[in-house]
Amino acid sequence: MKTYLILLLLLILPPCFAQSQIGSAINAGNPSNGFGFSNSFSLNADGDVIAVGYRALNKVQVYSYDTLLKKWVIYGVEIKGDDLTGFGGYVSISSNAKYLAIGAIYSSRTNKQVGETTIYEFKGNEWVEKGNSIEGVNEFDNSGIVSTRCDLSN
């Protein structure tokens, strides 16, 4: 009896966990200049908004899935960090896609590898920085590493 129950569960459960791609691949530009290569990404709770970090270009772009067009469209204006900081190396978007944490390896103020995290809020059609960046104190503090598990919406 246990064997039949286990077999039945194995037949029923896999479709419950199946995943399918929505929209086409996000094409962010020319891979030959480093654009188009993502270092990090984060999805909101519904899976219809994605933040993509491009550390080599010190930028982050957020996309939302348009169900009518059946494709990913730009969500707000691209966020550009200071050059040579590794801005966008780490990203985390809140479950409701209203807040975004972006990490950088280097500090934009001291240019040391202490790390830096900046929080943004989506207002209107742009990402607005909230307060000052959070910066590490000591070299290699890695303050710019943000968790994709954090929920900034609370």
Side-chain angles (χ1 to χ4, degrees):
M1 183 64 169
K2 281 185 183 180
T3 305
Y4 292 119
L5 184 57
I6 290 172
L7 288 173
L8 181 62
L9 285 174
L10 289 174
L11 292 173
I12 294 172
L13 288 179
C16 296
F17 297 105
Q19 300 174 5
S20 60
Q21 179 176 330
I22 58 172
S24 57
I26 296 172
N27 182 4
N30 182 357
S32 67
N33 65 6
F35 199 57
F37 180 75
S38 164
N39 290 93
S40 61
F41 67 91
S42 179
L43 280 168
N44 72 329
D46 293 335
D48 60 354
V49 177
I50 185 170
V52 183
Y54 302 95
R55 185 174 68 191
L57 299 170
N58 301 294
K59 67 180 274 177
V60 172
Q61 184 66 66
V62 182
Y63 303 89
S64 67
Y65 185 71
D66 187 312
T67 54
L68 295 175
L69 298 175
K70 303 253 187 260
K71 68 178 189 174
W72 292 95
V73 295
I74 293 175
Y75 185 70
V77 181
E78 99 178 359
I79 306 165
K80 184 83 171 116
D82 292 332
D83 289 340
L84 306 175
T85 60
F87 181 87
Y90 303 92
V91 295
S92 182
I93 196 160
S94 65
S95 60
N96 63 3
K98 186 175 180 183
Y99 298 97
L100 178 65
I102 302 174
I105 297 169
Y106 292 90
S107 163
S108 60
R109 290 186 286 274
T110 65
N111 204 29
K112 291 186 177 178
Q113 193 172 345
V114 295
E116 184 175 89
T117 300
T118 310
I119 307 295
Y120 292 85
E121 181 177 10
F122 192 72
K123 290 186 174 183
N125 192 34
E126 64 181 333
W127 293 96
V128 179
E129 188 173 337
K130 284 187 65 82
N132 295 326
S133 296
I134 303 162
E135 186 177 283
V137 176
N138 301 308
E139 195 87 15
F140 307 111
D141 272 351
N142 295 323
S143 175
I145 298 176
V146 295
S147 169
T148 56
R149 296 182 196 176
C150 69
D151 186 3
L152 303 168
S153 61
N154 295 327

